[in-house]
Amino acid sequence: MEIDPTREKFDTGLKKIRSEIKSVLVSHGVFGVVTHGGRCELPEGARVEIQAKDKTVGRSFDREQIEGCHLRVAGAVLADIIAMVDELASRSESKTGRG
């Protein structure tokens, strides 16, 4: 069974995005669960969500953005990832009285 090269690029991009999110979460000292939608045959994009400390934040990325991350996560996608984690970290700090 052959793998569609465009699907492979999309799936690899999503994996890289998830991995980058986990990396940024660790650097902020936040433990969370990363989920994403987009498992249909020809997805137009996907919504990536992070759940941590009873809070959820998410962003939607289009297919072009996701495929652009198949080698490395950078640019607007990386900025969105950092913003999501910062939002979770600031919520958890204000909840514990640290911020």
Side-chain angles (χ1 to χ4, degrees):
M1 186 168 155
E2 277 188 47
I3 298 173
D4 179 15
T6 58
R7 181 62 201 212
E8 184 177 8
K9 204 172 183 181
F10 181 86
D11 289 342
T12 302
L14 268 179
K15 286 178 190 172
K16 295 275 186 175
I17 290 169
R18 286 176 53 102
S19 178
E20 187 67 30
I21 290 171
K22 289 177 183 180
S23 205
V24 175
L25 282 170
V26 167
S27 71
H28 279 73
V30 178
F31 175 77
V33 177
V34 182
T35 59
H36 65 82
R39 300 302 292 171
C40 58
E41 280 303 306
L42 295 171
E44 295 297 317
R47 179 163 179 82
V48 177
E49 293 184 341
I50 308 169
Q51 299 169 340
K53 304 218 179 204
D54 299 326
K55 301 291 179 186
T56 301
V57 295
R59 297 285 193 280
S60 293
F61 300 105
D62 64 31
R63 185 177 185 91
E64 185 177 316
Q65 288 175 308
I66 294 168
E67 287 178 349
C69 294
H70 77 282
L71 295 176
R72 181 175 67 112
V73 179
V77 175
L78 181 58
D80 281 344
I81 289 170
I82 292 169
M84 286 191 295
V85 174
D86 284 345
E87 188 176 335
L88 281 172
S90 68
R91 284 183 186 178
S92 64
E93 285 175 3
S94 65
K95 196 173 186 179
T96 60
R98 282 193 238 152

